[in-house]
């Protein structure tokens, strides 16, 4: 999963044996060229770099090291390598390595992602040792092994939650259960996956301040909460939501899903009394920990994907995301003989604004422009920052007249807008080009080119105006 998540050439785990002064390759996902029996002295790179500092080690363009890595049986020219420590109780007991053929890779969220996987490895090592030392538990770990495998192949949050709850049900007979996840920050959690009596409340969002066991456990520091009899005395509190039936003669087990110190949510299970014995709790805890590691890795990756499609300055879609949206939209309109329009905007004399007020002021004006766009767009429309001070809008279903009306409103709104920056009140106008499909072009590239020609004509015509591609002479190629 780590290899897939990081799009790596190979991902490997070396365990560290200080007495023998060597690191042993324990697991690897990658090409056949990997020597499965690799043993590396602890003083050799890249292991030594991690051990010496107890910190992640990042290498790119280091040919001496990267072109002769000890775990490749044939010459493999690696461009980037990332190695992170796997720590247990403050000691580095293993090293997790990911590499890629490209140089300058792994520069964004990948280090954090690999670190999250390192936590998973640490967890697995703890469990493996515990099971080796206790035979009875060993059998339970065998039982859990299949579920772990099933969990590990899930790629989205919903599937992990489902697999976790399903697996829990197969380990112990449950009366009800739910996986809760804090969605937008720690103040709310959602009942993502439910079973038994909890099914009634699936999808509900609950405030973390509500008086329920699930909310209470999210705020706590323990790694498990076991209540043996929900029905008795002072311990009467609803489990999941305030309006649920509270007269339960059951036991409750809550296992927070944690990644580092961050609480992602919890596994909340109820069953007949006595079901949550020591072994059951132990095994369920392993599953919960694995799921937590996976969930945090998936969340990181999704956040990264989201970031890769956004322009960081304005928060609008970026060029790549826009092209994808345009292609999808064209395909959709094509199916029902629909239509769509593109509006391209380039700010006027923007270089001068930068020169007069400075680049940060220019950035503020760009953000201000994005605000105006957001204000005028309707749901379903897409706006993107297409280049430096160039924006583009996609209006699905719109005809030329509608698009021109929109472009005119946008032109006027920009002209009327002022952006305050430091002492200055910035004003900028824009020139706009409008093109429609299928009137002006047959495909995405053609449509963008038509809008661009119209924009160019708007500049030539004096700026701060709207021009339609249809009114231009046909392009000569
Ligand atoms: P025109 O009316 O012909 O479009 O004139 P212009 O000055 O806007 O056009 P030109 O393409 O010559 O210059 C665009 C300027 O936009 C140049 C560049 O400094 C500025 N620019 C591009 N990206 C950014 C950015 O991210 N921030 C800031 N502040 N300025 C940017
Ligand atoms: Mg420009
Ligand atoms: Mg410009």
């Amino acid at each position: 999963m780590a290899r897939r998540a990081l799009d790596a050439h190979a991902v490997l785990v070396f365990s560290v044996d200080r007495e023998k002064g060597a690191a042993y390759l324990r697991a690897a996902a990658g090409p056949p060229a990997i020597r499965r029996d690799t043993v590396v002295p602890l003083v050799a790179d890249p292991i030594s770099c991690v051990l010496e500092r107890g910190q992640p080690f990042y290498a790119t363009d280091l040919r001496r090291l990267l072109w002769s890595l000890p775990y490749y049986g044939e010459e493999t020219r690696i461009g980037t390598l990332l190695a992170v420590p796997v720590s247990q109780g403050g000691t580095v007991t293993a090293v997790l390595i990911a590499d890629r053929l490209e140089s300058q890779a792994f520069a964004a969220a990948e280090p954090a992602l690999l670190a999250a996987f390192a936590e998973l490895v640490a967890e697995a090592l703890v469990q493996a040792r515990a099971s080796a030392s206790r035979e009875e538990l060993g059998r339970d770990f065998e039982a859990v092994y299949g579920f772990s495998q099933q969990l590990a192949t899930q790629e989205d949050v919903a599937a992990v939650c489902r697999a976790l709850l399903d697996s829990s049900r197969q380990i112990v007979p449950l009366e009800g259960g739910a996986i809760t996840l804090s969605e937008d920050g720690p103040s709310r959690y959602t009942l993502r996956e439910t079973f038994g009596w909890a099914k009634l409340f699936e999808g509900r969002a609950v405030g973390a301040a509500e008086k329920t066991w699930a909310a209470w456990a999210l705020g706590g520091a323990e790694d498990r909460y076991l209540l043996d009899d929900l029905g008795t005395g002072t311990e009467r509190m609803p489990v999941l939501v305030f309006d649920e039936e509270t007269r339960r003669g059951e036991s409750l087990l809550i296992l927070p899903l944690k990644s580092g110190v961050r609480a992602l949510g919890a596994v909340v299970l109820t069953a007949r009394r006595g079901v949550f014995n020591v072994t059951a709790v132990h095994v369920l805890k392993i599953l919960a920990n694995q799921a937590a590691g996976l969930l945090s890795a998936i969340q990181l990756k999704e956040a990264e994907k989201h970031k890769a499609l956004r322009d960081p300055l304005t928060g609008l879609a970026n060029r790549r995301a826009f092209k994808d949206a345009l292609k999808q939209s064209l395909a959709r309109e094509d199916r029902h003989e629909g239509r769509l329009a593109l509006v391209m905007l380039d700010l006027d004399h923007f270089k001068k604004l930068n020169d007069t007020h400075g680049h940060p002021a220019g950035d503020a004006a760009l953000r201000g422009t994005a605000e105006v766009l957001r204000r005028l767009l309707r749901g379903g429309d897409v706006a993107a920052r297409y280049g430096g001070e160039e924006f583009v809008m996609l209006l699905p279903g719109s005809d030329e007249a509608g698009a021109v009306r929109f472009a005119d409103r946008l032109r006027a709104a920009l002209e009327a807008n002022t952006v305050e920056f430091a002492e200055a009140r910035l004003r900028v106008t824009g020139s706009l080009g409008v093109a429609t499909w299928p009137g002006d072009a047959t495909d995405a590239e053609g449509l963008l080119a038509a809008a661009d020609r119209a924009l160019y004509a708007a500049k030539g015509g004096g700026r701060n105006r709207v021009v339609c591609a249809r009114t231009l002479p046909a392009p000569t190629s």
Side-chain angles (χ1 to χ4, degrees), residues 321-397:
F322 186 82
K323 286 202 163 168
D324 287 349
L326 176 56
K327 290 207 177 97
Q328 276 172 23
S329 195
L330 275 173
R332 204 175 313 126
E333 297 298 332
D334 199 31
R335 269 185 305 245
H336 65 263
E337 295 186 14
R339 58 193 179 197
L340 60 80
L342 265 199
V343 177
M344 207 176 259
L345 159 72
D346 185 290
L347 300 181
D348 297 329
H349 302 304
F350 200 68
K351 196 169 172 316
K352 194 163 151 234
L353 186 141
N354 270 330
D355 291 345
T356 314
H357 299 281
H359 205 84
D363 284 358
L366 290 171
R367 277 194 296 265
T369 301
E371 278 312 309
V372 174
L373 293 188
R374 269 194 279 262
R375 207 167 62 221
L376 293 191
L377 284 177
R378 292 171 314 187
D381 298 346
V382 181
R385 183 165 174 217
Y386 203 62
E389 27 76 83
E390 217 171 294
F391 299 82
V392 61
M393 286 129 285
L394 165 65
L395 314 176

Side-chain angles (χ1 to χ4, degrees), residues 94-328:
V95 175
L96 181 60
I97 295 178
D99 66 25
R100 267 178 88 163
L101 296 178
E102 300 80 12
S103 60
Q104 313 285 350
F106 299 147
E110 286 90 351
L113 197 53
L114 195 62
F117 281 110
E119 270 183 43
L120 268 183
V121 173
E123 181 65 31
L125 288 176
V126 170
Q127 303 307 346
R129 260 169 222 148
S131 83
S133 61
R134 278 177 284 182
E135 250 183 45
E136 187 202 343
L137 272 180
R139 275 198 301 279
D140 287 297
F141 287 121
E142 210 158 285
V144 93
Y145 185 74
F147 301 133
S148 302
Q149 296 272 302
Q150 190 191 328
L151 260 184
T153 54
Q154 306 304 331
E155 289 189 40
D156 64 84
V157 168
V160 171
C161 291
R162 207 170 311 122
L164 177 57
L165 193 55
D166 284 351
S167 305
S168 305
R169 278 172 57 195
Q170 292 178 48
I171 290 166
V172 288
L174 297 175
E175 304 276 309
I179 311 296
T180 73
L181 288 183
S182 345
E183 309 267 307
D184 20 68
S187 65
R188 264 156 52 96
Y189 62 90
T190 306
L191 308 182
R192 283 294 290 252
E193 192 67 32
T194 56
F195 167 73
W197 61 263
K199 267 243 163 296
L200 260 175
F201 311 113
E202 176 147 332
R204 279 269 281 269
V206 185
E210 266 180 44
K211 284 200 161 47
T212 63
W213 287 117
W216 174 78
L218 267 186
E222 304 294 317
D223 70 343
R224 70 198 65 190
Y225 297 89
L226 180 60
L227 262 85
D228 242 347
D229 191 350
L230 275 178
T232 53
T234 53
E235 297 186 344
R236 280 199 184 191
M237 183 151 79
V239 174
L240 291 170
V241 296
F242 73 93
D243 53 338
E244 100 200 4
E245 168 69 58
T246 53
R247 254 181 270 275
R248 295 179 189 288
E250 295 168 306
S251 336
L252 167 67
L253 176 67
I254 301 183
L255 303 170
L257 295 164
K258 281 192 182 162
S259 166
V261 291
R262 201 163 62 94
L264 310 170
V267 187
V268 182
L269 308 171
T270 66
R272 274 176 295 105
R273 294 184 60 186
V275 164
F276 298 126
N277 59 35
V278 176
T279 314
V281 172
H282 198 92
V283 169
L284 289 167
K285 184 71 198 154
I286 298 169
L287 275 188
N289 284 351
Q290 290 192 345
L294 265 178
L295 285 172
S296 82
I298 291 171
Q299 283 179 350
L300 252 171
K301 192 161 185 230
E302 279 174 3
E304 192 57 22
K305 216 191 278 167
H306 184 75
K307 257 200 326 217
L309 298 175
R310 294 274 134 193
D311 162 52
L313 179 70
T314 60
L316 296 177
N318 63 19
R319 190 187 188 105
R320 198 177 102 204
F322 186 82
K323 286 202 163 168
D324 287 349
L326 176 56
K327 290 207 177 97
Q328 276 172 23

